[in-house]
Amino acid sequence: MSNILCIGAGYVGGPTMAVISKHCPQHEVRLVDINAERIAAWKSDQLPIYEPGLKEVVEIARGRNLFFYTAEHIAELINWADIIFVSVNTPTKTFGMGAGRAADLQFWEKTARQILEHANGPKIIIEKSTLPVRTAEAMSNILNTNAKGVNFDVLSNPEFLAEGSAIKDLENPDRVLIGGHNTESGQRAVQTIVDLYANWVPRERIITTNLWSSELSKLVANAFLAQRISSINAISALCEKTEADVEEVAYAIGTDTRIGPHFLRASVGFGGSCFRKDILNLVYISEQQGLPEVAAYWEQVLKMNEYQEARFVANMVHAMFNSLSGKRIALFGAAFKANTSDTRESPALAVCRELLEERADIALCDPHALENARQDLGGLADQVAFIQDPYQAADGAHAIAVLTEWTHFTELDYQRIYDSMAHPAFIFDGRNILDHQALFEIGFNVYPIGKAPMQHFNHNDQGAGVLPK
Ligand code: UDX
Ligand code: UDX
């Protein structure tokens, strides 16, 4: 039996430990977090994050071999643990050297020092947070320069789960990646963690590498995923200028097995806590290593994402006669993707901020993310109406913008919505999830991503003409 501690009970630490404890009843798993409110929520029926299937998993293990603690217990917990996962946040630095690009490692370093202070015996320390390459080495250095003579093996075990499908991804991962030092003790530690995951993951899906490859692979995986979205979004702009349809193009190229069909959904842009942060990190590392061309290449993925968001808003302004001032606009979606309450880096909030600049009157609607949206919008929240019911949000609106791909938005009665809106009524589908032809037939002027708009009137200065009714 092992004593497993996870420091940081967030979107990654919480679900990961829940699944480990479910599959490994022989081990005891404890989570600790400095956020007491979060810990209280983990212990309650209202979990701190919305994630399909999470509650069921937590309920299996909580109180059996899964326990939650606040930070005042950190010393005893560190001492108790054999294996410590560190899953504290590593946001982009907002100050000093590397501001806006490098990862802020202050929480990580503080955690390493706490481990050093309170550990009285050997431990395996696992990087679960995404970190710049060679952080593990720095951590090893901090940890292993201790006067107590305690041995720490630092491993990298990046998490590839996507929010909204976290439980599915953890239960049935494409791969688990474990990086360790090529020393006897390092390899023993790697084997311990391989054995842990082998309780439910087939061995052939557990990849072991050296530490640096593991750390870098996490950044590269996210950079490649984001790059595919930026690539298809770049093509969506071209499609809107020609008569190509981005979904047809994505399908046509995705059937090539070398390209594959995934992550080719054109959208208003990608969000989430990882893509932007990890690419900035990759850019920063490349610059630091004297590779400006490599840095510029990856930076372009972010620039394209910003362009796509800005282009979406510009299309709205342009379609709605160059003025949004005082017009009510219902934003369908606040979360950065469907099936999550998370609004970090959400394109929906970026669009919301830009529309507020245009002095539009915003009704923001989302089934699970309104509370996080309110917090993320900070001082701007006063200018936004937060309305969970889409019918109410759209009531009297001039336009709807679909910004998150919640299935819920595809199942609404759009005739009823149209009847309650100001006319001409506009709908901007930033996720291409609605039935555009049906909406057009109801009377909406429809603006998908990467397809010709469907308008009931002629915009003289716009490429597309009037489409037949
Ligand atoms: C984590 C990592 O932060 C990120 O680098 C990686 O890319 C994905 O995994 P996530 O779990 O989504 O991200 O972050 P968050 O939900 O913010 O959770 C981090 C938790 O750590 C928070 O609950 C925070 O309160 C806690 N924390 C932070 C500590 O317990 N101690 C600290 O010193 C700092
Ligand atoms: C991502 C990675 O997928 C995951 O492996 C890593 O551990 C963390 O970062 P996440 O950010 O939770 O996961 O969600 P993901 O499904 O990757 O979506 C990211 C963003 O891209 C969302 O805003 C989503 O809407 C957008 N997206 C995704 C598109 O716009 N088009 C697509 O085809 C796919």
Side-chain angles (χ1 to χ4, degrees), residues 44 73 121 131 193 221 240 251 260 273-274 293 295 298 302 309 323 381-382 388 393 409 468:
S44 78
H73 300 283
L131 293 162
I193 305 308
E240 286 167 35
Y251 180 74
S273 69
C274 287
E293 289 79 5
W298 288 108
L302 291 178
E309 281 170 7
S323 171
D382 292 348
Q388 198 159 348
F409 296 139

Side-chain angles (χ1 to χ4, degrees), residues 231-248:
S231 296
I232 200 69
N233 281 345
I235 300 305
S236 77
L238 202 52
C239 288
E240 286 167 35
K241 294 282 179 197
T242 60
E243 277 180 25
D245 175 325
V246 77
E247 284 187 55
E248 292 180 352

Side-chain angles (χ1 to χ4, degrees), residues 431-442:
R431 296 289 185 167
N432 283 346
I433 54 169
L434 303 181
D435 181 342
H436 301 140
Q437 185 61 35
L439 292 172
F440 181 66
E441 282 165 17
I442 288 172

Side-chain angles (χ1 to χ4, degrees), residues 159-163 218 222 225 229 263-267 269-275 336-337 347 405 431:
E159 185 45 64
F160 295 103
L161 68 81
E163 286 175 33
K218 169 69 189 191
N222 277 344
L225 290 169
I229 303 169
F263 267 69
L264 289 178
R265 270 182 292 115
S267 66
F270 59 74
S273 69
C274 287
F275 283 178
F336 81 96
K337 64 182 283 197
E405 67 277 30
R431 296 289 185 167

